[in-house]
Amino acid sequence: AQRRLDAAMIAGEVGTFDWDVVNDCVFGDRNLLGFFGIPNSRAGAAVERFMDLIHPDDQATVRDRVAHSLATGQNLEAEYRIGVGTQLRWFHARGKVEFDKDTNQAIRLVGILLDITARKEAEAALLSLRQEADFLAWAIENSTQPFAAGTGDGRLLLFNPAFQKLTGYTDQELRQLRWTDTLTPPRWRMFEKEFVDRLTQTGLPQTYEKEYIRKDGSLIPVEINVHVTREFDRASVLYY
Protein backbone atom coordinates (compact mmCIF):
# COMPACT_ATOMS: atom_id res chain seq x y z
CA ALA A 1 0.00 0.00 0.00
CA GLN A 2 2.83 2.39 0.82
CA ARG A 3 4.48 1.70 -2.53
CA ARG A 4 1.23 2.48 -4.35
CA LEU A 5 0.88 5.69 -2.36
CA ASP A 6 4.46 6.72 -3.11
CA ALA A 7 3.93 6.05 -6.82
CA ALA A 8 0.68 8.02 -6.82
CA MET A 9 2.36 10.98 -5.13
CA ILE A 10 5.18 10.95 -7.67
CA ALA A 11 2.61 10.87 -10.47
CA GLY A 12 0.87 13.88 -8.95
CA GLU A 13 -2.32 11.99 -8.09
CA VAL A 14 -2.11 12.45 -4.30
CA GLY A 15 -1.52 15.54 -2.20
CA THR A 16 -1.08 15.88 1.56
CA PHE A 17 -2.48 18.48 3.95
CA ASP A 18 -1.93 19.48 7.57
CA TRP A 19 -4.48 21.84 9.08
CA ASP A 20 -3.56 23.66 12.28
CA VAL A 21 -7.13 23.99 13.52
CA VAL A 22 -6.30 26.31 16.44
CA ASN A 23 -4.54 28.88 14.24
CA ASP A 24 -6.61 28.07 11.15
CA CYS A 25 -3.64 27.48 8.90
CA VAL A 26 -3.55 24.75 6.24
CA PHE A 27 -0.19 23.54 4.96
CA GLY A 28 -0.20 21.55 1.75
CA ASP A 29 2.45 19.94 -0.38
CA ARG A 30 3.09 20.90 -3.99
CA ASN A 31 0.49 18.44 -5.34
CA LEU A 32 -2.28 19.60 -3.03
CA LEU A 33 -1.70 23.26 -3.80
CA GLY A 34 -1.67 22.43 -7.49
CA PHE A 35 -5.05 20.69 -7.17
CA PHE A 36 -6.53 23.95 -5.87
CA GLY A 37 -4.62 26.15 -8.29
CA ILE A 38 -2.77 27.87 -5.43
CA PRO A 39 0.84 28.95 -6.01
CA ASN A 40 3.40 26.75 -4.28
CA SER A 41 4.42 28.24 -0.96
CA ARG A 42 5.60 27.11 2.45
CA ALA A 43 3.26 29.59 4.07
CA GLY A 44 -0.09 28.16 5.03
CA ALA A 45 -3.51 29.50 4.19
CA ALA A 46 -6.84 29.71 5.99
CA VAL A 47 -9.12 26.74 5.42
CA GLU A 48 -11.75 29.01 3.85
CA ARG A 49 -9.38 29.74 0.98
CA PHE A 50 -9.52 26.08 0.08
CA MET A 51 -13.24 25.73 0.82
CA ASP A 52 -14.08 28.58 -1.54
CA LEU A 53 -12.36 26.73 -4.41
CA ILE A 54 -14.50 23.61 -4.00
CA HIS A 55 -17.47 23.30 -6.36
CA PRO A 56 -20.41 25.24 -4.88
CA ASP A 57 -22.66 22.17 -4.99
CA ASP A 58 -20.16 20.24 -2.83
CA GLN A 59 -19.17 22.86 -0.28
CA ALA A 60 -21.99 22.28 2.21
CA THR A 61 -21.33 18.53 2.31
CA VAL A 62 -17.59 19.03 2.80
CA ARG A 63 -18.15 21.55 5.60
CA ASP A 64 -20.53 19.14 7.35
CA ARG A 65 -18.06 16.25 7.03
CA VAL A 66 -15.18 18.33 8.40
CA ALA A 67 -17.27 19.65 11.29
CA HIS A 68 -18.42 16.12 12.12
CA SER A 69 -14.85 14.83 12.19
CA LEU A 70 -13.67 17.67 14.42
CA ALA A 71 -16.58 17.11 16.81
CA THR A 72 -16.47 13.31 17.00
CA GLY A 73 -12.91 12.37 16.11
CA GLN A 74 -14.08 10.14 13.30
CA ASN A 75 -11.85 10.03 10.25
CA LEU A 76 -12.71 12.45 7.48
CA GLU A 77 -14.01 10.95 4.23
CA ALA A 78 -15.32 13.31 1.56
CA GLU A 79 -15.55 13.44 -2.21
CA TYR A 80 -15.82 16.73 -4.04
CA ARG A 81 -15.00 18.62 -7.21
CA ILE A 82 -12.46 21.35 -7.81
CA GLY A 83 -12.13 23.49 -10.91
CA VAL A 84 -8.53 23.05 -12.09
CA GLY A 85 -7.98 25.56 -14.84
CA THR A 86 -10.77 24.93 -17.34
CA GLN A 87 -11.30 21.35 -16.15
CA LEU A 88 -13.46 20.09 -13.31
CA ARG A 89 -11.75 17.26 -11.43
CA TRP A 90 -12.93 14.90 -8.67
CA PHE A 91 -11.04 14.35 -5.41
CA HIS A 92 -11.35 12.15 -2.34
CA ALA A 93 -10.17 13.58 0.99
CA ARG A 94 -9.14 11.34 3.86
CA GLY A 95 -8.06 12.80 7.18
CA LYS A 96 -7.42 12.05 10.83
CA VAL A 97 -8.11 14.41 13.72
CA GLU A 98 -5.67 14.99 16.57
CA PHE A 99 -6.88 16.23 19.95
CA ASP A 100 -5.27 18.14 22.79
CA LYS A 101 -4.85 15.69 25.66
CA ASP A 102 -5.72 18.28 28.29
CA THR A 103 -8.66 20.11 26.70
CA ASN A 104 -9.84 17.31 24.41
CA GLN A 105 -10.25 19.91 21.68
CA ALA A 106 -9.39 19.20 18.04
CA ILE A 107 -6.07 20.81 17.20
CA ARG A 108 -5.00 19.23 13.88
CA LEU A 109 -6.50 17.53 10.87
CA VAL A 110 -3.94 15.77 8.70
CA GLY A 111 -4.56 13.67 5.64
CA ILE A 112 -4.35 13.14 1.91
CA LEU A 113 -6.29 14.26 -1.14
CA LEU A 114 -6.56 11.78 -4.00
CA ASP A 115 -7.38 12.67 -7.59
CA ILE A 116 -10.20 10.24 -8.48
CA THR A 117 -11.25 11.89 -11.75
CA ALA A 118 -10.39 8.80 -13.83
CA ARG A 119 -12.51 6.60 -11.57
CA LYS A 120 -15.46 8.98 -11.70
CA GLU A 121 -15.26 9.18 -15.49
CA ALA A 122 -15.16 5.38 -15.72
CA GLU A 123 -18.18 5.12 -13.41
CA ALA A 124 -20.08 7.66 -15.52
CA ALA A 125 -19.22 5.78 -18.72
CA LEU A 126 -20.33 2.48 -17.17
CA LEU A 127 -23.59 4.04 -16.00
CA SER A 128 -24.20 5.37 -19.51
CA LEU A 129 -23.61 1.91 -20.99
CA ARG A 130 -25.99 0.36 -18.46
CA GLN A 131 -28.66 2.91 -19.27
CA GLU A 132 -28.25 2.23 -23.00
CA ALA A 133 -28.43 -1.52 -22.40
CA ASP A 134 -31.54 -1.10 -20.24
CA PHE A 135 -33.19 1.01 -22.95
CA LEU A 136 -32.36 -1.51 -25.68
CA ALA A 137 -33.66 -4.35 -23.52
CA TRP A 138 -36.88 -2.43 -22.89
CA ALA A 139 -37.26 -1.57 -26.60
CA ILE A 140 -36.78 -5.19 -27.68
CA GLU A 141 -39.09 -6.54 -24.98
CA ASN A 142 -41.89 -4.13 -25.93
CA SER A 143 -41.39 -4.18 -29.69
CA THR A 144 -44.08 -5.58 -31.95
CA GLN A 145 -41.27 -6.79 -34.23
CA PRO A 146 -40.30 -10.41 -33.44
CA PHE A 147 -36.72 -10.67 -32.16
CA ALA A 148 -34.61 -13.66 -31.17
CA ALA A 149 -30.95 -14.47 -30.56
CA GLY A 150 -29.49 -17.92 -30.81
CA THR A 151 -26.57 -20.01 -31.92
CA GLY A 152 -25.94 -21.51 -35.33
CA ASP A 153 -26.63 -25.00 -34.00
CA GLY A 154 -30.22 -24.06 -33.22
CA ARG A 155 -30.29 -22.99 -29.57
CA LEU A 156 -32.39 -19.95 -28.73
CA LEU A 157 -30.79 -17.77 -26.07
CA LEU A 158 -33.35 -15.00 -25.82
CA PHE A 159 -36.45 -13.71 -27.59
CA ASN A 160 -39.19 -11.18 -27.05
CA PRO A 161 -42.96 -11.67 -26.58
CA ALA A 162 -43.55 -10.82 -30.25
CA PHE A 163 -41.41 -13.81 -31.26
CA GLN A 164 -43.37 -16.05 -28.89
CA LYS A 165 -46.62 -14.81 -30.39
CA LEU A 166 -45.31 -15.40 -33.92
CA THR A 167 -44.33 -19.02 -33.23
CA GLY A 168 -47.04 -19.88 -30.72
CA TYR A 169 -44.57 -21.38 -28.23
CA THR A 170 -44.15 -20.52 -24.57
CA ASP A 171 -40.92 -19.17 -23.10
CA GLN A 172 -39.93 -22.56 -21.67
CA GLU A 173 -40.78 -24.40 -24.89
CA LEU A 174 -38.66 -22.05 -27.02
CA ARG A 175 -35.69 -22.53 -24.71
CA GLN A 176 -35.87 -26.30 -25.12
CA LEU A 177 -36.33 -26.56 -28.89
CA ARG A 178 -33.93 -25.93 -31.75
CA TRP A 179 -35.05 -23.41 -34.32
CA THR A 180 -33.09 -25.25 -37.03
CA ASP A 181 -35.34 -28.30 -36.61
CA THR A 182 -38.58 -27.43 -34.85
CA LEU A 183 -39.24 -24.03 -36.42
CA THR A 184 -37.72 -24.57 -39.86
CA PRO A 185 -39.51 -26.82 -42.39
CA PRO A 186 -37.21 -29.47 -43.95
CA ARG A 187 -37.42 -27.90 -47.40
CA TRP A 188 -35.94 -24.62 -46.09
CA ARG A 189 -33.05 -26.02 -44.07
CA MET A 190 -30.34 -26.26 -46.73
CA PHE A 191 -31.48 -22.96 -48.19
CA GLU A 192 -31.15 -21.26 -44.83
CA LYS A 193 -27.84 -22.95 -44.05
CA GLU A 194 -26.26 -21.21 -47.05
CA PHE A 195 -27.16 -17.81 -45.62
CA VAL A 196 -26.02 -18.71 -42.10
CA ASP A 197 -22.70 -20.06 -43.42
CA ARG A 198 -22.20 -16.89 -45.46
CA LEU A 199 -23.00 -14.81 -42.39
CA THR A 200 -20.51 -16.56 -40.12
CA GLN A 201 -17.81 -16.47 -42.80
CA THR A 202 -18.17 -12.83 -43.80
CA GLY A 203 -19.81 -11.26 -40.77
CA LEU A 204 -22.14 -9.39 -43.11
CA PRO A 205 -25.88 -9.27 -42.29
CA GLN A 206 -28.09 -11.53 -44.40
CA THR A 207 -31.71 -11.11 -45.46
CA TYR A 208 -33.84 -13.90 -46.86
CA GLU A 209 -37.37 -15.28 -46.86
CA LYS A 210 -38.51 -18.63 -45.52
CA GLU A 211 -41.31 -20.15 -43.45
CA TYR A 212 -41.70 -20.99 -39.79
CA ILE A 213 -43.65 -23.95 -38.45
CA ARG A 214 -45.86 -22.64 -35.68
CA LYS A 215 -46.73 -24.75 -32.65
CA ASP A 216 -50.14 -25.55 -34.11
CA GLY A 217 -48.47 -26.94 -37.25
CA SER A 218 -49.39 -24.06 -39.53
CA LEU A 219 -46.79 -22.44 -41.76
CA ILE A 220 -46.19 -18.72 -41.67
CA PRO A 221 -44.00 -16.83 -44.18
CA VAL A 222 -41.31 -14.66 -42.62
CA GLU A 223 -38.50 -12.40 -43.76
CA ILE A 224 -35.32 -12.98 -41.79
CA ASN A 225 -32.74 -10.26 -41.14
CA VAL A 226 -29.89 -12.04 -39.40
CA HIS A 227 -26.71 -10.58 -37.90
CA VAL A 228 -23.77 -12.12 -36.09
CA THR A 229 -22.32 -10.77 -32.87
CA ARG A 230 -20.01 -12.08 -30.11
CA GLU A 231 -18.90 -15.59 -29.28
CA PHE A 232 -20.89 -17.70 -26.81
CA ASP A 233 -19.65 -21.15 -25.77
CA ARG A 234 -17.44 -21.12 -28.88
CA ALA A 235 -20.47 -20.63 -31.11
CA SER A 236 -21.44 -17.50 -33.01
CA VAL A 237 -24.50 -15.75 -31.64
CA LEU A 238 -27.01 -14.82 -34.28
CA TYR A 239 -29.86 -12.38 -33.80
CA TYR A 240 -32.90 -11.96 -35.99
Side-chain angles (χ1 to χ4, degrees):
Q2 185 61 45
R3 289 182 180 179
R4 290 196 298 270
L5 178 59
D6 291 342
M9 294 187 70
I10 293 173
E13 298 172 348
V14 178
T16 62
F17 61 85
D18 185 343
W19 179 24
D20 178 347
V21 178
V22 176
N23 297 300
D24 188 21
C25 192
V26 178
F27 298 92
D29 66 2
R30 182 186 300 272
N31 287 346
L32 182 120
L33 296 177
F35 293 158
F36 284 89
I38 297 175
N40 188 38
S41 172
R42 293 185 178 180
V47 71
E48 280 303 313
R49 184 177 183 186
F50 293 89
M51 285 290 186
D52 288 343
L53 295 172
I54 294 175
H55 192 283
D57 292 344
D58 301 332
Q59 287 185 18
T61 299
V62 175
R63 293 179 191 278
D64 289 344
R65 296 284 177 87
V66 171
H68 180 75
S69 293
L70 295 179
T72 65
Q74 293 184 2
N75 289 343
L76 172 67
E77 296 282 348
E79 292 186 358
Y80 52 86
R81 292 160 290 178
I82 302 174
V84 183
T86 59
Q87 186 179 16
L88 197 64
R89 301 190 68 81
W90 275 96
F91 295 90
H92 186 130
R94 295 176 179 172
K96 183 177 182 179
V97 182
E98 294 184 10
F99 290 87
D100 183 283
K101 294 181 180 179
D102 297 325
T103 65
N104 201 34
Q105 295 296 310
I107 57 175
R108 292 179 69 196
L109 177 61
V110 296
I112 61 174
L113 190 64
L114 301 91
D115 187 335
I116 59 170
T117 304
R119 192 198 81 192
K120 286 291 187 177
E121 290 175 346
E123 290 175 350
L126 180 60
L127 177 60
S128 178
L129 288 174
R130 287 177 176 170
Q131 291 174 336
E132 290 180 10
D134 289 344
F135 172 76
L136 288 174
W138 177 88
I140 290 172
E141 182 70 12
N142 292 277
S143 174
T144 58
Q145 181 71 27
F147 174 90
T151 59
D153 62 3
R155 288 175 293 162
L156 286 172
L157 304 177
L158 60 90
F159 35 81
N160 65 357
F163 189 82
Q164 290 180 243
K165 182 178 180 180
L166 174 72
T167 61
Y169 286 96
T170 66
D171 182 289
Q172 184 176 2
E173 289 170 337
L174 284 172
R175 295 185 186 280
Q176 293 176 346
L177 59 76
R178 290 185 179 271
W179 62 265
T180 48
D181 300 324
T182 307
L183 297 181
T184 304
R187 70 189 187 93
W188 290 105
R189 292 173 187 171
M190 289 304 299
F191 171 82
E192 183 169 51
K193 185 177 183 301
E194 293 180 6
F195 286 94
V196 173
D197 288 345
R198 189 182 308 156
L199 171 68
T200 55
Q201 291 170 7
T202 66
L204 299 176
Q206 303 292 314
T207 300
Y208 55 94
E209 295 181 358
K210 57 172 281 189
E211 291 176 321
Y212 270 155
I213 307 174
R214 303 186 76 252
K215 183 179 178 180
D216 62 10
S218 62
L219 297 177
I220 182 171
V222 293
E223 181 182 80
I224 304 293
N225 294 294
V226 60
H227 304 253
V228 65
T229 179
R230 60 181 175 81
E231 292 293 307
F232 179 85
D233 288 343
R234 298 183 180 180
S236 297
V237 174
L238 316 177
Y239 59 97
Y240 307 83

